[in-house]
Amino acid sequence: MKLVYHANPHLPRLAWYAVMSGSPVEIDVYHGEGVETFTDFFVEGAWNGDFSKGDFYKATFFMGSGGQILKDGVWHKVVIATPTHALERLYSIQDDTALHLSNSLPFILHMTGLRLDPGYLDYERDFNSLLKGLRRYERYLPLYGNRAVRLHYYCNIIIDESLALTEEDKSSPGPFADYEDYHDKLTRAIGQLIKNASSPERKIQYGLVTNISKGYDSAACAALARDFGCDTAVSFNRPGHYAWDNGAEIAKKLGYKTIILKSADEYKTNTRLVEAEFVSSGELGSDIIFSAFEQEYAGNIVFKGNLGDTFWDKNKTDINSEMRFENGVFTETCYIEYRLRTGYIALFPASFGAVEWPSIHAISNSREMSRYSIGGTYDRPIPRRILEERGIDRGMFGIHKSGAGFNYRYDSMKRIRSRMAPLSFESFYSFYKANRRKGFRVLIRWVEYLWRAKNIYIAFFLNRLGITAPYGRVRCDQTPNPGIPSYLFNWGIYVMMNRYKTAMNGGRDEVHIS
């Protein structure tokens, strides 16, 4: 076996696609300029280990993806590694002569000549099935022509010389005994990952930047980042509730010298269809607002608070080791294509040791953490202790849950238009008109959906009338919205496949959406 690299400056910086074929097996890897390439491994990202060894597949804290040829006397197998969190995934397609793998769905579809099934109505539900846990999610997405693409989360993919594929579990740091044990292992892993990301053996050495708000999770992550010399924090200060929630005051007290505040609506002026990047993962757009910080993110490790509302929440009741979040709302995977293009490493401290969630939850509810518990439904002792031990006053954070971003899941065409840049909406609307579904089957899906989502819409109208009512949720395994939002994922993939086509054509013959 051997790796053959094809660098392409027109591809997203961290995107890669690998095709394995032949006898002996040859692995052709097509990749952007930010992917690190060596004789026996390639990687985009960093981990808590020695960079020169390329042993990211053994790591308990790996942010990124990559592949390595393993040697045991003779070259005999390859391991392809996902990150040690479930906010990103890898894709594989197997045919009669080759095995195809990628960290980008539109990239692998373009390279294999396959496409989505325009008549399939359950892509969003299939992606949301991840909320049912690592053992029960939908592993295959149907494609046009009776083909399929396989999804891989939180695992190592082992491939032998016959191109047979198996999945192995990731390494775990083991259960945590108490807060000190958890904190020590977490900070040690972060420190090792940062050292890995700045290795002189890399083409690119990554800097540090952090998100921050007045909520628990991003503020705690900013406090951890500051311990390792991070000096740039970014936050939103407009419109509406973002003005109240911006974390500038906390950042100043933590010692940050560079604090950058922007509008959460900045994306609405973009002319490059950035919204397509954020809906092409099947999770309809929750992080679009963070595209405002593209310049600040590029070339850096970005500390982010994702998953803190799960693993650090004292009041969770469905605690498990399979990352099963059936009462969750979104998978939080929408940033994938944006990250690959922008070229940053997303670091999620709350994801460390996620499969040991029961022990993390036990720490949150332990007697030693009682002084950091304030009661109520918004109560997270672990991030509170991280912040208070670093001098942040109790009343400065974690008072009200605000949240950032939005999702297109329940939007009408009018509302989507108000929440897109003009050029993006024009592209999306043209796609919608050209691909609009009709027929009795669609009508049946509307009946199913409205029945399951009736409480949400009733609550919406009651709240419009000034009557407070809880919105409720649609479970991850139930019928998704078959209306306008159901075209967003297909549109996003269409736009992104055209971009990959352009990149593989050397940046020429760009296909315009019409």
Side-chain angles (χ1 to χ4, degrees), residues 1-3 18 20 25-27 40-42 57 66-71 75-81 99 101 156-161 163-166:
M1 289 185 180
K2 68 175 181 177
L3 289 161
M20 302 177 62
V25 173
E26 188 167 283
I27 309 165
D40 59 348
F41 76 90
F42 66 92
Y57 65 96
Q68 184 175 46
I69 296 176
L70 302 182
K71 189 173 183 180
W75 300 114
H76 72 294
K77 61 182 178 181
V78 175
V79 59
I80 306 292
L99 176 63
L101 302 110
N156 292 326
I157 306 167
I158 309 299
I159 306 157
D160 64 23
E161 291 184 340
L163 304 186
L165 178 157
T166 58

PDB file of all heavy atoms in Angstrom, residues 1-3 18 20 25-27 40-42 57 66-71 75-81 99 101 156-161 163-166:
ATOM      1  N   MET A   1       0.837  -1.195   0.000  1.00  0.00           N
ATOM      2  CA  MET A   1       0.000   0.000   0.000  1.00  0.00           C
ATOM      3  C   MET A   1       0.874   1.248   0.000  1.00  0.00           C
ATOM      4  O   MET A   1       1.933   1.270   0.619  1.00  0.00           O
ATOM      5  CB  MET A   1      -0.880   0.029   1.248  1.00  0.00           C
ATOM      6  CG  MET A   1      -2.004  -0.979   1.284  1.00  0.00           C
ATOM      7  SD  MET A   1      -3.041  -0.718   2.729  1.00  0.00           S
ATOM      8  CE  MET A   1      -4.240  -2.021   2.488  1.00  0.00           C
ATOM      9  N   LYS A   2       0.391   2.279  -0.679  1.00  0.00           N
ATOM     10  CA  LYS A   2       1.104   3.550  -0.624  1.00  0.00           C
ATOM     11  C   LYS A   2       0.136   4.700  -0.831  1.00  0.00           C
ATOM     12  O   LYS A   2      -0.933   4.543  -1.451  1.00  0.00           O
ATOM     13  CB  LYS A   2       2.229   3.599  -1.655  1.00  0.00           C
ATOM     14  CG  LYS A   2       1.772   3.622  -3.097  1.00  0.00           C
ATOM     15  CD  LYS A   2       2.987   3.805  -4.025  1.00  0.00           C
ATOM     16  CE  LYS A   2       2.544   3.855  -5.490  1.00  0.00           C
ATOM     17  NZ  LYS A   2       3.703   4.103  -6.393  1.00  0.00           N
ATOM     18  N   LEU A   3       0.502   5.851  -0.291  1.00  0.00           N
ATOM     19  CA  LEU A   3      -0.282   7.071  -0.424  1.00  0.00           C
ATOM     20  C   LEU A   3       0.283   7.915  -1.563  1.00  0.00           C
ATOM     21  O   LEU A   3       1.500   8.141  -1.637  1.00  0.00           O
ATOM     22  CB  LEU A   3      -0.244   7.867   0.876  1.00  0.00           C
ATOM     23  CG  LEU A   3      -1.016   7.268   2.064  1.00  0.00           C
ATOM     24  CD1 LEU A   3      -0.512   7.881   3.378  1.00  0.00           C
ATOM     25  CD2 LEU A   3      -2.508   7.508   1.908  1.00  0.00           C
ATOM     26  N   ALA A  18     -10.186  10.495  -0.608  1.00  0.00           N
ATOM     27  CA  ALA A  18      -9.249   9.398  -0.862  1.00  0.00           C
ATOM     28  C   ALA A  18      -9.965   8.279  -1.598  1.00  0.00           C
ATOM     29  O   ALA A  18     -11.094   7.918  -1.249  1.00  0.00           O
ATOM     30  CB  ALA A  18      -8.667   8.880   0.455  1.00  0.00           C
ATOM     31  N   MET A  20      -9.253   4.287  -2.813  1.00  0.00           N
ATOM     32  CA  MET A  20      -8.385   3.121  -2.681  1.00  0.00           C
ATOM     33  C   MET A  20      -8.757   2.109  -3.753  1.00  0.00           C
ATOM     34  O   MET A  20      -9.916   1.707  -3.880  1.00  0.00           O
ATOM     35  CB  MET A  20      -8.547   2.502  -1.286  1.00  0.00           C
ATOM     36  CG  MET A  20      -8.243   3.448  -0.151  1.00  0.00           C
ATOM     37  SD  MET A  20      -8.528   2.710   1.492  1.00  0.00           S
ATOM     38  CE  MET A  20      -7.333   1.359   1.462  1.00  0.00           C
ATOM     39  N   VAL A  25      -2.746  -2.237  -3.299  1.00  0.00           N
ATOM     40  CA  VAL A  25      -3.629  -1.088  -3.141  1.00  0.00           C
ATOM     41  C   VAL A  25      -2.844   0.216  -3.191  1.00  0.00           C
ATOM     42  O   VAL A  25      -1.803   0.367  -2.553  1.00  0.00           O
ATOM     43  CB  VAL A  25      -4.403  -1.185  -1.811  1.00  0.00           C
ATOM     44  CG1 VAL A  25      -5.204   0.093  -1.569  1.00  0.00           C
ATOM     45  CG2 VAL A  25      -5.335  -2.390  -1.824  1.00  0.00           C
ATOM     46  N   GLU A  26      -3.363   1.135  -3.975  1.00  0.00           N
ATOM     47  CA  GLU A  26      -2.823   2.496  -4.020  1.00  0.00           C
ATOM     48  C   GLU A  26      -3.903   3.440  -3.509  1.00  0.00           C
ATOM     49  O   GLU A  26      -5.084   3.276  -3.831  1.00  0.00           O
ATOM     50  CB  GLU A  26      -2.414   2.859  -5.439  1.00  0.00           C
ATOM     51  CG  GLU A  26      -1.672   4.179  -5.545  1.00  0.00           C
ATOM     52  CD  GLU A  26      -1.003   4.353  -6.895  1.00  0.00           C
ATOM     53  OE1 GLU A  26       0.056   3.729  -7.115  1.00  0.00           O
ATOM     54  OE2 GLU A  26      -1.561   5.092  -7.733  1.00  0.00           O
ATOM     55  N   ILE A  27      -3.517   4.432  -2.712  1.00  0.00           N
ATOM     56  CA  ILE A  27      -4.468   5.372  -2.125  1.00  0.00           C
ATOM     57  C   ILE A  27      -4.175   6.752  -2.684  1.00  0.00           C
ATOM     58  O   ILE A  27      -3.169   7.382  -2.327  1.00  0.00           O
ATOM     59  CB  ILE A  27      -4.364   5.391  -0.589  1.00  0.00           C
ATOM     60  CG1 ILE A  27      -4.429   3.973  -0.027  1.00  0.00           C
ATOM     61  CG2 ILE A  27      -5.459   6.265   0.008  1.00  0.00           C
ATOM     62  CD1 ILE A  27      -3.971   3.881   1.420  1.00  0.00           C
ATOM     63  N   ASP A  40       3.406   8.049   5.303  1.00  0.00           N
ATOM     64  CA  ASP A  40       2.487   7.034   5.819  1.00  0.00           C
ATOM     65  C   ASP A  40       1.235   7.592   6.479  1.00  0.00           C
ATOM     66  O   ASP A  40       0.432   6.834   7.012  1.00  0.00           O
ATOM     67  CB  ASP A  40       3.219   6.110   6.796  1.00  0.00           C
ATOM     68  CG  ASP A  40       3.807   6.858   7.983  1.00  0.00           C
ATOM     69  OD1 ASP A  40       3.840   8.102   7.937  1.00  0.00           O
ATOM     70  OD2 ASP A  40       4.232   6.208   8.947  1.00  0.00           O
ATOM     71  N   PHE A  41       1.047   8.918   6.470  1.00  0.00           N
ATOM     72  CA  PHE A  41      -0.207   9.450   7.004  1.00  0.00           C
ATOM     73  C   PHE A  41      -0.499  10.833   6.446  1.00  0.00           C
ATOM     74  O   PHE A  41       0.393  11.551   5.986  1.00  0.00           O
ATOM     75  CB  PHE A  41      -0.199   9.477   8.538  1.00  0.00           C
ATOM     76  CG  PHE A  41       0.608  10.579   9.177  1.00  0.00           C
ATOM     77  CD1 PHE A  41       0.046  11.816   9.471  1.00  0.00           C
ATOM     78  CD2 PHE A  41       1.948  10.369   9.519  1.00  0.00           C
ATOM     79  CE1 PHE A  41       0.779  12.824  10.078  1.00  0.00           C
ATOM     80  CE2 PHE A  41       2.699  11.375  10.132  1.00  0.00           C
ATOM     81  CZ  PHE A  41       2.104  12.606  10.412  1.00  0.00           C
ATOM     82  N   PHE A  42      -1.786  11.177   6.489  1.00  0.00           N
ATOM     83  CA  PHE A  42      -2.235  12.542   6.184  1.00  0.00           C
ATOM     84  C   PHE A  42      -3.253  12.929   7.249  1.00  0.00           C
ATOM     85  O   PHE A  42      -3.955  12.079   7.817  1.00  0.00           O
ATOM     86  CB  PHE A  42      -2.842  12.635   4.780  1.00  0.00           C
ATOM     87  CG  PHE A  42      -4.116  11.862   4.596  1.00  0.00           C
ATOM     88  CD1 PHE A  42      -5.360  12.452   4.791  1.00  0.00           C
ATOM     89  CD2 PHE A  42      -4.084  10.522   4.210  1.00  0.00           C
ATOM     90  CE1 PHE A  42      -6.541  11.740   4.614  1.00  0.00           C
ATOM     91  CE2 PHE A  42      -5.258   9.791   4.040  1.00  0.00           C
ATOM     92  CZ  PHE A  42      -6.486  10.407   4.246  1.00  0.00           C
ATOM     93  N   TYR A  57      -5.251   8.358  15.477  1.00  0.00           N
ATOM     94  CA  TYR A  57      -6.313   7.356  15.649  1.00  0.00           C
ATOM     95  C   TYR A  57      -6.290   6.754  17.054  1.00  0.00           C
ATOM     96  O   TYR A  57      -7.289   6.168  17.494  1.00  0.00           O
ATOM     97  CB  TYR A  57      -6.186   6.252  14.593  1.00  0.00           C
ATOM     98  CG  TYR A  57      -4.923   5.419  14.701  1.00  0.00           C
ATOM     99  CD1 TYR A  57      -4.921   4.205  15.379  1.00  0.00           C
ATOM    100  CD2 TYR A  57      -3.729   5.858  14.131  1.00  0.00           C
ATOM    101  CE1 TYR A  57      -3.765   3.445  15.484  1.00  0.00           C
ATOM    102  CE2 TYR A  57      -2.579   5.114  14.223  1.00  0.00           C
ATOM    103  CZ  TYR A  57      -2.598   3.907  14.902  1.00  0.00           C
ATOM    104  OH  TYR A  57      -1.443   3.159  15.000  1.00  0.00           O
ATOM    105  N   GLY A  66      -8.213  12.177   9.426  1.00  0.00           N
ATOM    106  CA  GLY A  66      -7.027  11.802   8.669  1.00  0.00           C
ATOM    107  C   GLY A  66      -6.925  10.305   8.479  1.00  0.00           C
ATOM    108  O   GLY A  66      -7.800   9.545   8.907  1.00  0.00           O
ATOM    109  N   GLY A  67      -5.856   9.880   7.818  1.00  0.00           N
ATOM    110  CA  GLY A  67      -5.637   8.462   7.557  1.00  0.00           C
ATOM    111  C   GLY A  67      -4.182   8.093   7.707  1.00  0.00           C
ATOM    112  O   GLY A  67      -3.283   8.920   7.492  1.00  0.00           O
ATOM    113  N   GLN A  68      -3.937   6.843   8.086  1.00  0.00           N
ATOM    114  CA  GLN A  68      -2.567   6.356   8.236  1.00  0.00           C
ATOM    115  C   GLN A  68      -2.468   4.906   7.781  1.00  0.00           C
ATOM    116  O   GLN A  68      -3.379   4.093   8.030  1.00  0.00           O
ATOM    117  CB  GLN A  68      -2.096   6.467   9.684  1.00  0.00           C
ATOM    118  CG  GLN A  68      -0.620   6.047   9.866  1.00  0.00           C
ATOM    119  CD  GLN A  68      -0.106   6.265  11.271  1.00  0.00           C
ATOM    120  OE1 GLN A  68      -0.774   5.912  12.228  1.00  0.00           O
ATOM    121  NE2 GLN A  68       1.077   6.848  11.387  1.00  0.00           N
ATOM    122  N   ILE A  69      -1.375   4.579   7.130  1.00  0.00           N
ATOM    123  CA  ILE A  69      -1.063   3.186   6.796  1.00  0.00           C
ATOM    124  C   ILE A  69      -0.386   2.555   7.998  1.00  0.00           C
ATOM    125  O   ILE A  69       0.581   3.101   8.526  1.00  0.00           O
ATOM    126  CB  ILE A  69      -0.146   3.103   5.558  1.00  0.00           C
ATOM    127  CG1 ILE A  69      -0.857   3.656   4.326  1.00  0.00           C
ATOM    128  CG2 ILE A  69       0.283   1.656   5.317  1.00  0.00           C
ATOM    129  CD1 ILE A  69       0.005   3.691   3.075  1.00  0.00           C
ATOM    130  N   LEU A  70      -0.913   1.432   8.450  1.00  0.00           N
ATOM    131  CA  LEU A  70      -0.346   0.731   9.599  1.00  0.00           C
ATOM    132  C   LEU A  70       0.538  -0.407   9.126  1.00  0.00           C
ATOM    133  O   LEU A  70       0.207  -1.129   8.190  1.00  0.00           O
ATOM    134  CB  LEU A  70      -1.466   0.178  10.492  1.00  0.00           C
ATOM    135  CG  LEU A  70      -2.466   1.202  11.030  1.00  0.00           C
ATOM    136  CD1 LEU A  70      -3.483   0.522  11.936  1.00  0.00           C
ATOM    137  CD2 LEU A  70      -1.746   2.309  11.788  1.00  0.00           C
ATOM    138  N   LYS A  71       1.662  -0.584   9.824  1.00  0.00           N
ATOM    139  CA  LYS A  71       2.632  -1.590   9.424  1.00  0.00           C
ATOM    140  C   LYS A  71       2.794  -2.619  10.521  1.00  0.00           C
ATOM    141  O   LYS A  71       2.974  -2.290  11.681  1.00  0.00           O
ATOM    142  CB  LYS A  71       3.986  -0.934   9.124  1.00  0.00           C
ATOM    143  CG  LYS A  71       5.004  -1.864   8.496  1.00  0.00           C
ATOM    144  CD  LYS A  71       6.245  -1.095   8.089  1.00  0.00           C
ATOM    145  CE  LYS A  71       7.250  -1.995   7.386  1.00  0.00           C
ATOM    146  NZ  LYS A  71       8.467  -1.250   6.983  1.00  0.00           N
ATOM    147  N   TRP A  75       3.096  -3.850   4.956  1.00  0.00           N
ATOM    148  CA  TRP A  75       1.945  -2.951   4.874  1.00  0.00           C
ATOM    149  C   TRP A  75       0.704  -3.808   4.725  1.00  0.00           C
ATOM    150  O   TRP A  75       0.623  -4.650   3.844  1.00  0.00           O
ATOM    151  CB  TRP A  75       2.073  -2.009   3.672  1.00  0.00           C
ATOM    152  CG  TRP A  75       3.291  -1.125   3.688  1.00  0.00           C
ATOM    153  CD1 TRP A  75       4.327  -1.157   2.821  1.00  0.00           C
ATOM    154  CD2 TRP A  75       3.564  -0.074   4.610  1.00  0.00           C
ATOM    155  NE1 TRP A  75       5.254  -0.195   3.147  1.00  0.00           N
ATOM    156  CE2 TRP A  75       4.813   0.481   4.244  1.00  0.00           C
ATOM    157  CE3 TRP A  75       2.903   0.450   5.716  1.00  0.00           C
ATOM    158  CZ2 TRP A  75       5.388   1.537   4.929  1.00  0.00           C
ATOM    159  CZ3 TRP A  75       3.477   1.502   6.407  1.00  0.00           C
ATOM    160  CH2 TRP A  75       4.707   2.031   6.005  1.00  0.00           C
ATOM    161  N   HIS A  76      -0.271  -3.605   5.570  1.00  0.00           N
ATOM    162  CA  HIS A  76      -1.419  -4.499   5.470  1.00  0.00           C
ATOM    163  C   HIS A  76      -2.769  -3.859   5.703  1.00  0.00           C
ATOM    164  O   HIS A  76      -3.780  -4.441   5.342  1.00  0.00           O
ATOM    165  CB  HIS A  76      -1.261  -5.662   6.453  1.00  0.00           C
ATOM    166  CG  HIS A  76      -1.447  -5.286   7.891  1.00  0.00           C
ATOM    167  ND1 HIS A  76      -0.603  -4.456   8.561  1.00  0.00           N
ATOM    168  CD2 HIS A  76      -2.421  -5.625   8.770  1.00  0.00           C
ATOM    169  CE1 HIS A  76      -1.012  -4.313   9.810  1.00  0.00           C
ATOM    170  NE2 HIS A  76      -2.117  -4.998   9.959  1.00  0.00           N
ATOM    171  N   LYS A  77      -2.839  -2.686   6.291  1.00  0.00           N
ATOM    172  CA  LYS A  77      -4.142  -2.063   6.467  1.00  0.00           C
ATOM    173  C   LYS A  77      -3.996  -0.559   6.655  1.00  0.00           C
ATOM    174  O   LYS A  77      -2.906  -0.041   6.912  1.00  0.00           O
ATOM    175  CB  LYS A  77      -4.894  -2.677   7.635  1.00  0.00           C
ATOM    176  CG  LYS A  77      -4.223  -2.543   8.991  1.00  0.00           C
ATOM    177  CD  LYS A  77      -5.064  -3.261  10.055  1.00  0.00           C
ATOM    178  CE  LYS A  77      -4.385  -3.188  11.424  1.00  0.00           C
ATOM    179  NZ  LYS A  77      -5.162  -3.881  12.467  1.00  0.00           N
ATOM    180  N   VAL A  78      -5.135   0.110   6.540  1.00  0.00           N
ATOM    181  CA  VAL A  78      -5.204   1.561   6.681  1.00  0.00           C
ATOM    182  C   VAL A  78      -6.230   1.878   7.758  1.00  0.00           C
ATOM    183  O   VAL A  78      -7.251   1.193   7.884  1.00  0.00           O
ATOM    184  CB  VAL A  78      -5.640   2.226   5.356  1.00  0.00           C
ATOM    185  CG1 VAL A  78      -5.840   3.723   5.522  1.00  0.00           C
ATOM    186  CG2 VAL A  78      -4.617   1.949   4.269  1.00  0.00           C
ATOM    187  N   VAL A  79      -5.959   2.914   8.545  1.00  0.00           N
ATOM    188  CA  VAL A  79      -6.955   3.411   9.487  1.00  0.00           C
ATOM    189  C   VAL A  79      -7.302   4.843   9.102  1.00  0.00           C
ATOM    190  O   VAL A  79      -6.414   5.666   8.876  1.00  0.00           O
ATOM    191  CB  VAL A  79      -6.468   3.326  10.951  1.00  0.00           C
ATOM    192  CG1 VAL A  79      -5.181   4.119  11.162  1.00  0.00           C
ATOM    193  CG2 VAL A  79      -7.546   3.826  11.911  1.00  0.00           C
ATOM    194  N   ILE A  80      -8.589   5.096   8.980  1.00  0.00           N
ATOM    195  CA  ILE A  80      -9.104   6.441   8.720  1.00  0.00           C
ATOM    196  C   ILE A  80      -9.839   6.879   9.984  1.00  0.00           C
ATOM    197  O   ILE A  80     -10.731   6.166  10.466  1.00  0.00           O
ATOM    198  CB  ILE A  80     -10.065   6.469   7.525  1.00  0.00           C
ATOM    199  CG1 ILE A  80      -9.406   5.846   6.282  1.00  0.00           C
ATOM    200  CG2 ILE A  80     -10.536   7.882   7.243  1.00  0.00           C
ATOM    201  CD1 ILE A  80      -8.271   6.642   5.699  1.00  0.00           C
ATOM    202  N   ALA A  81      -9.493   8.021  10.540  1.00  0.00           N
ATOM    203  CA  ALA A  81      -9.994   8.416  11.856  1.00  0.00           C
ATOM    204  C   ALA A  81     -10.928   9.611  11.783  1.00  0.00           C
ATOM    205  O   ALA A  81     -10.622  10.622  11.143  1.00  0.00           O
ATOM    206  CB  ALA A  81      -8.826   8.738  12.782  1.00  0.00           C
ATOM    207  N   LEU A  99     -12.787   1.849  -3.088  1.00  0.00           N
ATOM    208  CA  LEU A  99     -13.406   2.385  -1.875  1.00  0.00           C
ATOM    209  C   LEU A  99     -13.097   3.871  -1.825  1.00  0.00           C
ATOM    210  O   LEU A  99     -11.942   4.287  -1.940  1.00  0.00           O
ATOM    211  CB  LEU A  99     -12.844   1.679  -0.636  1.00  0.00           C
ATOM    212  CG  LEU A  99     -13.327   2.207   0.721  1.00  0.00           C
ATOM    213  CD1 LEU A  99     -14.834   2.024   0.872  1.00  0.00           C
ATOM    214  CD2 LEU A  99     -12.587   1.506   1.860  1.00  0.00           C
ATOM    215  N   LEU A 101     -13.485   7.594   0.231  1.00  0.00           N
ATOM    216  CA  LEU A 101     -13.697   8.189   1.554  1.00  0.00           C
ATOM    217  C   LEU A 101     -13.419   9.691   1.496  1.00  0.00           C
ATOM    218  O   LEU A 101     -12.593  10.135   0.700  1.00  0.00           O
ATOM    219  CB  LEU A 101     -12.778   7.549   2.595  1.00  0.00           C
ATOM    220  CG  LEU A 101     -12.907   6.041   2.775  1.00  0.00           C
ATOM    221  CD1 LEU A 101     -11.659   5.352   2.234  1.00  0.00           C
ATOM    222  CD2 LEU A 101     -13.128   5.667   4.221  1.00  0.00           C
ATOM    223  N   ASN A 156     -12.822   4.735  14.453  1.00  0.00           N
ATOM    224  CA  ASN A 156     -11.724   4.510  13.523  1.00  0.00           C
ATOM    225  C   ASN A 156     -12.198   3.510  12.475  1.00  0.00           C
ATOM    226  O   ASN A 156     -12.771   2.469  12.816  1.00  0.00           O
ATOM    227  CB  ASN A 156     -10.495   3.964  14.242  1.00  0.00           C
ATOM    228  CG  ASN A 156      -9.868   4.990  15.167  1.00  0.00           C
ATOM    229  OD1 ASN A 156      -9.880   6.183  14.876  1.00  0.00           O
ATOM    230  ND2 ASN A 156      -9.330   4.542  16.293  1.00  0.00           N
ATOM    231  N   ILE A 157     -11.951   3.830  11.216  1.00  0.00           N
ATOM    232  CA  ILE A 157     -12.352   2.967  10.108  1.00  0.00           C
ATOM    233  C   ILE A 157     -11.133   2.153   9.690  1.00  0.00           C
ATOM    234  O   ILE A 157     -10.120   2.721   9.267  1.00  0.00           O
ATOM    235  CB  ILE A 157     -12.867   3.801   8.925  1.00  0.00           C
ATOM    236  CG1 ILE A 157     -13.978   4.752   9.383  1.00  0.00           C
ATOM    237  CG2 ILE A 157     -13.350   2.901   7.804  1.00  0.00           C
ATOM    238  CD1 ILE A 157     -14.309   5.830   8.355  1.00  0.00           C
ATOM    239  N   ILE A 158     -11.215   0.852   9.826  1.00  0.00           N
ATOM    240  CA  ILE A 158     -10.098  -0.031   9.495  1.00  0.00           C
ATOM    241  C   ILE A 158     -10.366  -0.683   8.142  1.00  0.00           C
ATOM    242  O   ILE A 158     -11.421  -1.282   7.922  1.00  0.00           O
ATOM    243  CB  ILE A 158      -9.901  -1.119  10.568  1.00  0.00           C
ATOM    244  CG1 ILE A 158      -9.840  -0.491  11.972  1.00  0.00           C
ATOM    245  CG2 ILE A 158      -8.641  -1.927  10.269  1.00  0.00           C
ATOM    246  CD1 ILE A 158      -8.704   0.481  12.164  1.00  0.00           C
ATOM    247  N   ILE A 159      -9.388  -0.587   7.218  1.00  0.00           N
ATOM    248  CA  ILE A 159      -9.548  -1.087   5.859  1.00  0.00           C
ATOM    249  C   ILE A 159      -8.378  -2.005   5.528  1.00  0.00           C
ATOM    250  O   ILE A 159      -7.217  -1.605   5.677  1.00  0.00           O
ATOM    251  CB  ILE A 159      -9.599   0.074   4.846  1.00  0.00           C
ATOM    252  CG1 ILE A 159     -10.687   1.084   5.251  1.00  0.00           C
ATOM    253  CG2 ILE A 159      -9.843  -0.445   3.436  1.00  0.00           C
ATOM    254  CD1 ILE A 159     -10.467   2.458   4.693  1.00  0.00           C
ATOM    255  N   ASP A 160      -8.668  -3.222   5.102  1.00  0.00           N
ATOM    256  CA  ASP A 160      -7.589  -4.150   4.758  1.00  0.00           C
ATOM    257  C   ASP A 160      -7.333  -4.136   3.247  1.00  0.00           C
ATOM    258  O   ASP A 160      -7.946  -3.365   2.507  1.00  0.00           O
ATOM    259  CB  ASP A 160      -7.895  -5.558   5.272  1.00  0.00           C
ATOM    260  CG  ASP A 160      -9.126  -6.179   4.619  1.00  0.00           C
ATOM    261  OD1 ASP A 160      -9.500  -5.757   3.508  1.00  0.00           O
ATOM    262  OD2 ASP A 160      -9.713  -7.098   5.237  1.00  0.00           O
ATOM    263  N   GLU A 161      -6.450  -5.025   2.788  1.00  0.00           N
ATOM    264  CA  GLU A 161      -6.037  -5.003   1.387  1.00  0.00           C
ATOM    265  C   GLU A 161      -7.143  -5.444   0.430  1.00  0.00           C
ATOM    266  O   GLU A 161      -7.063  -5.209  -0.766  1.00  0.00           O
ATOM    267  CB  GLU A 161      -4.789  -5.867   1.202  1.00  0.00           C
ATOM    268  CG  GLU A 161      -3.557  -5.251   1.856  1.00  0.00           C
ATOM    269  CD  GLU A 161      -2.291  -6.063   1.596  1.00  0.00           C
ATOM    270  OE1 GLU A 161      -2.418  -7.251   1.255  1.00  0.00           O
ATOM    271  OE2 GLU A 161      -1.204  -5.492   1.740  1.00  0.00           O
ATOM    272  N   LEU A 163     -10.045  -4.215   0.713  1.00  0.00           N
ATOM    273  CA  LEU A 163     -10.916  -3.044   0.820  1.00  0.00           C
ATOM    274  C   LEU A 163     -12.134  -3.293   1.704  1.00  0.00           C
ATOM    275  O   LEU A 163     -13.114  -2.535   1.652  1.00  0.00           O
ATOM    276  CB  LEU A 163     -11.352  -2.534  -0.560  1.00  0.00           C
ATOM    277  CG  LEU A 163     -10.232  -2.189  -1.547  1.00  0.00           C
ATOM    278  CD1 LEU A 163     -10.806  -1.561  -2.807  1.00  0.00           C
ATOM    279  CD2 LEU A 163      -9.217  -1.253  -0.905  1.00  0.00           C
ATOM    280  N   ALA A 164     -12.072  -4.344   2.515  1.00  0.00           N
ATOM    281  CA  ALA A 164     -13.134  -4.576   3.498  1.00  0.00           C
ATOM    282  C   ALA A 164     -13.010  -3.528   4.600  1.00  0.00           C
ATOM    283  O   ALA A 164     -11.908  -3.187   5.047  1.00  0.00           O
ATOM    284  CB  ALA A 164     -13.020  -5.981   4.076  1.00  0.00           C
ATOM    285  N   LEU A 165     -14.142  -3.046   5.063  1.00  0.00           N
ATOM    286  CA  LEU A 165     -14.184  -1.923   5.999  1.00  0.00           C
ATOM    287  C   LEU A 165     -14.873  -2.341   7.293  1.00  0.00           C
ATOM    288  O   LEU A 165     -15.932  -2.957   7.278  1.00  0.00           O
ATOM    289  CB  LEU A 165     -14.936  -0.766   5.327  1.00  0.00           C
ATOM    290  CG  LEU A 165     -15.187   0.547   6.046  1.00  0.00           C
ATOM    291  CD1 LEU A 165     -15.408   1.662   5.018  1.00  0.00           C
ATOM    292  CD2 LEU A 165     -16.396   0.466   6.960  1.00  0.00           C
ATOM    293  N   THR A 166     -14.223  -2.008   8.411  1.00  0.00           N
ATOM    294  CA  THR A 166     -14.836  -2.230   9.725  1.00  0.00           C
ATOM    295  C   THR A 166     -14.623  -0.976  10.576  1.00  0.00           C
ATOM    296  O   THR A 166     -13.712  -0.190  10.325  1.00  0.00           O
ATOM    297  CB  THR A 166     -14.231  -3.442  10.457  1.00  0.00           C
ATOM    298  OG1 THR A 166     -12.816  -3.242  10.600  1.00  0.00           O
ATOM    299  CG2 THR A 166     -14.497  -4.727   9.705  1.00  0.00           C
TER     300      THR A 166
END
